[in-house]
């Protein structure tokens, strides 16, 4: 009963805890508040509607979290934050805006809307032990089957600047044989396609030679120099010209609580992607959520088509494509513009199917 009038969303509660954490000097309290903030952000239900707080909220922050979540209004919440804050001005809010909390994603998945995650057919952009994933190709493929996919594109990292554990030419050939073996045995359940997550180098070229891209779906991404504040338009435009690029992966390079993402003239980049037929990725890894909905809307208006990615590094992470679905829905993008909702032949109509 006493919980009914609560109005604070998990997003507001988490942001208050992040702000409090940042206002305190480095040490135990700051760390505990940060842990509490992430626990709230990742909680699968709105805490206003539940009695129990997640077990991951540190004990020493429970009174603070309870006090904040009992605030009767946003103004009351702000007043509490002002009262509890430490000596430093909080400064990281810009790296946390525009992200969906786990509760918002869950709420979206449970409600009726034009994008239905149950219609997803293709599971795209995930990693195996061959690069920085924790599971075998077989385990990831079985995970895709369990989620109801009929086709999947595995995209391990290439061995470049960004990933020392990435695939070299021999690793790519080995994986190709493993994929063929799976398709012979289980291809009727799930057709596996080989992809690669290639690095876009400083000059916009890729770290994978052209001949190595034959028959492989390349998702190209920037992983280095992301903290620099220069303009990335030319680098991205050059990458879009590279032969064999299927999608631009996590285009903004933003990371929750750490980086706001790169600067670029996005309208120019999106128009070029649409003209070249390069897909834009909607990365559903909860700490990435890249592109953000306002940019997704701009991309859709520029004529782009989209690829939903879980960026899974563990079979459990394959469910992150529902976060990508929620982002697409928030931007008003329909199933027809997203390749994952198509059967394989249609999704890869203009590509080689390995
Ligand atoms: Zn990546
Ligand atoms: Zn990845």
């Amino acid at each position: 009963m006493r919980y009914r009038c609560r109005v604070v969303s998990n997003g507001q509660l988490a942001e208050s805890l992040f702000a409090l954490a940042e206002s305190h000097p480095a040490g135990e309290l700051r760390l505990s508040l940060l842990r509490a903030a992430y626990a709230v952000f990742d909680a699968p239900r709105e805490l206003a509607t539940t009695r129990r707080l997640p077990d991951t909220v540190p004990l020493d922050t429970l009174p603070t979290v309870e006090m904040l979540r009992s605030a009767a209004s946003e103004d009351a919440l702000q007043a509490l934050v002002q009262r509890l804050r430490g000596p430093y001005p909080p400064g990281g809010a810009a790296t946390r805006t525009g992200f969906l909390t786990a509760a918002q994603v869950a709420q979206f998945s449970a409600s009726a809307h034009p994008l239905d995650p149950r219609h997803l057919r293709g599971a795209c952009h995930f990693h195996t032990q061959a690069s920085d994933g924790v599971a075998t190709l077989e385990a990831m493929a079985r995970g895709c089957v369990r989620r109801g996919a009929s086709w999947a594109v595995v995209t391990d990292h290439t061995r470049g600047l960004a990933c020392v554990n990435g695939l070299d030419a021999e690793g790519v050939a080995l994986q190709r044989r493993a994929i063929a073996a799976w398709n012979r045995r289980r291809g009727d359940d799930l057709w596996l396609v080989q992809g690669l997550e290639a690095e876009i180098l400083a000059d916009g070229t890729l770290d994978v030679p052209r001949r190595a891209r034959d028959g492989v779906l390349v998702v190209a991404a920037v992983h280095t120099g992301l903290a620099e504040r220069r303009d990335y338009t030319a680098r991205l435009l050059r990458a879009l010209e590279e032969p064999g690029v299927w999608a631009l992966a996590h285009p903004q390079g933003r990371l929750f609580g750490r980086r706001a993402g790169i600067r670029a003239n996005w309208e120019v980049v999106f128009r070029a992607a649409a003209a070249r037929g390069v897909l834009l990725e909607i990365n559903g890894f909860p700490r990435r959520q890249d592109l953000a909905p306002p940019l997704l809307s701009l991309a859709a208006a520029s004529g782009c088509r989209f690829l939903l990615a879980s960026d899974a590094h563990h079979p459990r992470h394959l469910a992150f494509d529902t976060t990508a679905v929620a982002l697409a829905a928030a931007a008003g993008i329909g199933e027809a513009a997203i390749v994952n909702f198509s059967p394989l032949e249609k999704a890869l109509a203009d590509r080689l199917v390995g």
Side-chain angles (χ1 to χ4, degrees):
M1 289 300 167
R2 25 189 286 271
Y3 295 88
R4 190 180 289 161
C5 62
R6 283 189 173 142
V7 293
V8 176
S9 71
N10 286 7
Q12 292 166 326
L13 181 55
E15 186 50 39
S16 303
L17 289 161
F18 279 120
L20 283 182
E22 288 174 347
S23 73
H24 288 285
E28 287 287 315
L29 177 58
R30 182 186 174 115
L31 208 58
S32 288
L33 286 166
L34 273 180
R35 287 201 181 113
Y38 278 109
V40 170
F41 189 82
D42 293 333
R45 291 180 61 188
E46 287 295 339
L47 298 175
T49 63
T50 160
R51 187 169 290 266
R52 265 173 65 90
L53 288 171
D55 294 339
T56 40
V57 173
L59 285 178
D60 56 343
T61 65
L62 281 178
T64 307
V65 176
E66 282 295 2
M67 198 190 307
L68 294 173
R69 82 160 171 166
S70 302
S73 67
E74 217 178 313
D75 286 347
L77 182 66
Q78 289 312 319
L80 275 172
V81 171
Q82 284 306 318
R83 186 149 69 77
L84 298 172
R85 55 170 292 181
Y88 299 115
T95 63
R96 297 185 296 264
T97 50
F99 284 82
L100 302 175
T101 61
Q104 283 175 312
V105 173
Q107 233 164 34
F108 163 82
S109 298
S111 60
H113 50 78
L115 285 184
D116 189 340
R118 288 169 304 183
H119 295 169
L120 283 173
R121 304 194 195 195
C124 299
H125 186 162
F126 55 86
H127 300 268
T128 76
Q129 282 173 350
S131 64
D132 58 351
V134 299
T136 61
L137 178 68
E138 180 93 14
M140 294 304 283
R142 284 201 304 268
C144 295
V145 173
R146 277 197 298 279
R147 291 192 52 73
S150 61
W151 57 277
V153 183
V154 53
T155 54
D156 273 310
H157 290 283
T158 49
R159 181 171 301 181
L161 294 172
C163 186
V164 283
N165 292 327
L167 291 173
D168 54 15
E170 196 186 336
V172 171
L174 265 175
Q175 189 177 64
R176 184 167 299 170
R177 286 201 285 280
I179 287 172
W182 167 277
N183 284 340
R184 272 194 303 275
R185 280 188 296 119
R186 305 276 317 261
D188 286 345
D189 301 329
L190 178 89
W191 192 263
L192 268 182
V193 182
Q194 189 169 33
L196 279 175
E197 182 170 3
E199 176 69 8
I200 299 173
L201 302 171
D203 64 358
T205 60
L206 302 186
D207 68 343
V208 184
R210 288 185 189 195
R211 64 181 181 286
R213 301 174 205 165
D214 284 346
V216 174
L217 295 175
V218 174
V219 301
V222 177
H223 296 95
T224 50
L226 288 165
E228 296 163 28
R229 295 305 298 154
R230 64 194 154 86
D231 187 287
Y232 277 72
T233 311
R235 186 168 169 181
L236 295 178
L237 288 177
R238 177 73 183 78
L240 291 171
E241 294 292 322
E242 282 286 312
V245 175
W246 185 44
L248 201 56
H250 46 75
Q252 286 179 270
R254 69 177 187 159
L255 215 52
F256 182 82
R258 285 174 55 190
R259 301 192 297 257
I262 58 175
R263 285 195 311 138
N265 185 333
W266 290 110
E267 201 170 344
V268 169
V269 173
F270 295 156
R271 284 217 195 102
R276 290 281 300 175
V278 174
L279 303 172
L280 287 183
E281 183 180 88
I282 308 177
N283 192 299
F285 203 85
R287 298 285 184 264
R288 286 196 179 276
Q289 303 193 26
D290 186 351
L291 295 158
L295 283 179
L296 284 176
S297 301
L298 180 63
S302 309
C304 290
R305 301 188 72 240
F306 301 92
L307 170 75
L308 300 185
S310 64
D311 210 345
H313 288 67
H314 185 288
R316 268 202 314 272
H317 297 167
L318 289 165
F320 292 159
D321 57 9
T322 54
T323 309
V325 172
L327 292 168
I333 296 168
E335 290 187 6
I338 301 171
V339 292
N340 311 60
F341 286 103
S342 298
L344 179 68
E345 311 74 55
K346 194 168 166 227
L348 304 185
D350 56 343
R351 301 278 160 174
L352 287 171
V353 180

